[in-house]
Amino acid sequence: MTGLDTLRPRLPSPVQELSDPRFTRHGLRLLLKRDDLIHPEIVGNKWRKLAPNLTTAAGRTVVTFGGAYSNHLRATAAAGRLLGLPTVGVVRGQELADRPLNPSLTRCAADGMRLHFVDRSTYRAKTDPATLARVLRAADAEDAYVVPEGGSNTLAVRGCRALGEELSGLADVVAIACGTGGTLAGLAAGLPPGQRALGIPVLKGGFLTADVESLQIHAFGARRGDWTLDDRFHVGGYARTTPELEAFAEDFEDRHGVAVERLYVAKLLYGLVALAEEGTFAPGTTVVAVVTGRPFP
């Protein structure tokens, strides 16, 4: 297995300042933390979460979980190809097994990931030890190293702490889109006192506060850092979008020449513009938006 360092990640990732009247007219600075530029195939926070897990896997097959459009599955499959590491993706939705693969799963398969489809009730119970053991047996992967859905475990949270450390002294508020909450948990722990983290969930349900707290307790022994969540910008849930959000993303791309990933980053930026208009941030505040991914072809 090739070492992760041979993949030449761009760390720390660059920070880019934008001039956007939707922020400047309120006396705010907007910076982008370009985690999308860490690596061309293992993008953004996926690198930060996967790297410590792949090191711990030490050449074993890696099993992980995701839906049919999971960026995490794509990143894991790409890492497996680049590192010569066998990967298995457990995909939510047994009904998908008999359908043509969508572009995301096609890319996973092309990168060598073996796809194993499970019904949705089994998928919901995947963290139950007995259910997990049954899934691994069915996937012929009983000796594999298991990475949870979204990659968020204790190793991943600790790996994401570096994101906060890289932003020390650069911002008052660091905002990030959240799926499973692991990146926020690590980011907040890495920020120094006086800087706070803001999570914008892309799933509806209001469950993330407890999840992020649990991740921090397992990784660090207690809740860490100053962080909050704003649940208003998921536009209906994961992988959901609206014509308004699509128009916003296209406009942002035209204004700034930055490709906007739709499932996470568009919702983050849309939320920040709304919060700026609401007067949430005091004049003089520097806001950093973490660009955790980029659009896949």
Side-chain angles (χ1 to χ4, degrees):
M1 173 176 163
T2 307
L4 280 162
D5 56 338
T6 66
L7 302 184
R8 299 186 178 182
R10 188 178 181 182
L11 290 169
S13 59
V15 176
Q16 174 184 0
E17 182 163 4
L18 300 184
S19 178
D20 191 310
R22 294 170 294 187
F23 293 86
T24 55
R25 67 170 168 255
H26 300 291
L28 309 174
R29 291 177 68 215
L30 176 65
L31 309 180
L32 300 184
K33 176 65 166 166
R34 297 296 303 273
D35 264 20
D36 58 315
L37 300 178
I38 290 177
H39 189 273
E41 295 189 74
I42 310 171
V43 178
N45 63 334
K46 304 307 178 191
W47 176 280
R48 296 186 188 275
K49 293 198 286 187
L50 277 173
N53 278 287
L54 294 172
T55 298
T56 303
R60 283 183 286 164
T61 297
V62 171
V63 172
T64 194
F65 301 80
Y69 293 92
S70 169
N71 290 336
H72 169 67
L73 286 183
R74 286 187 64 150
T76 305
R81 173 175 56 79
L82 292 167
L83 297 170
L85 186 72
T87 59
V88 177
V90 178
V91 184
R92 180 180 61 245
Q94 181 64 48
E95 71 278 5
L96 301 175
D98 299 321
R99 299 178 187 173
L101 298 179
N102 67 27
S104 183
L105 294 179
T106 296
R107 183 69 255 173
C108 290
D111 279 339
M113 176 174 274
R114 185 158 54 84
L115 300 175
H116 179 75
F117 297 88
V118 299
D119 65 81
R120 292 169 188 269
S121 61
T122 297
Y123 192 90
R124 283 193 297 272
K126 62 189 176 297
T127 58
D128 170 69
T131 302
L132 175 61
R134 191 164 59 248
V135 169
L136 293 177
R137 278 197 304 273
D140 193 24
E142 290 180 89
D143 297 324
Y145 180 82
V146 177
V147 177
E149 181 179 36
S152 291
N153 60 9
T154 295
L155 288 174
V157 170
R158 291 173 180 163
C160 289
R161 182 168 48 188
L163 172 59
E165 294 167 350
E166 290 172 23
L167 290 167
S168 177
L170 294 180
D172 302 296
V173 178
V174 181
I176 191 164
C178 302
T180 51
T183 308
L184 174 64
L187 161 66
L191 288 173
Q195 293 179 240
R196 66 182 179 92
L198 170 64
I200 304 293
V202 302
L203 292 81
K204 62 181 179 180
F207 55 84
L208 262 190
T209 296
D211 286 359
V212 174
E213 286 181 346
S214 177
L215 286 166
Q216 288 195 324
I217 289 167
H218 281 93
F220 309 118
R223 179 170 171 143
R224 289 285 186 89
D226 182 2
W227 57 269
T228 56
L229 294 165
D230 193 319
D231 284 298
R232 294 179 293 155
F233 304 109
H234 54 71
V235 303
Y238 184 71
R240 299 288 179 87
T241 187
T242 63
E244 182 182 10
L245 184 68
E246 184 65 32
F248 170 86
E250 291 178 359
D251 175 70
F252 195 95
E253 291 173 334
D254 291 342
R255 287 175 186 248
H256 302 298
V258 176
V260 176
E261 187 272 331
R262 298 307 200 257
L263 303 187
Y264 289 85
V265 180
K267 295 178 181 182
L268 167 67
L269 297 170
Y270 180 81
L272 287 178
V273 169
L275 291 169
E277 294 291 346
E278 291 173 6
T280 300
F281 308 118
T285 297
T286 297
V287 179
V288 171
V290 182
V291 183
T292 49
R294 66 169 186 277
F296 281 113

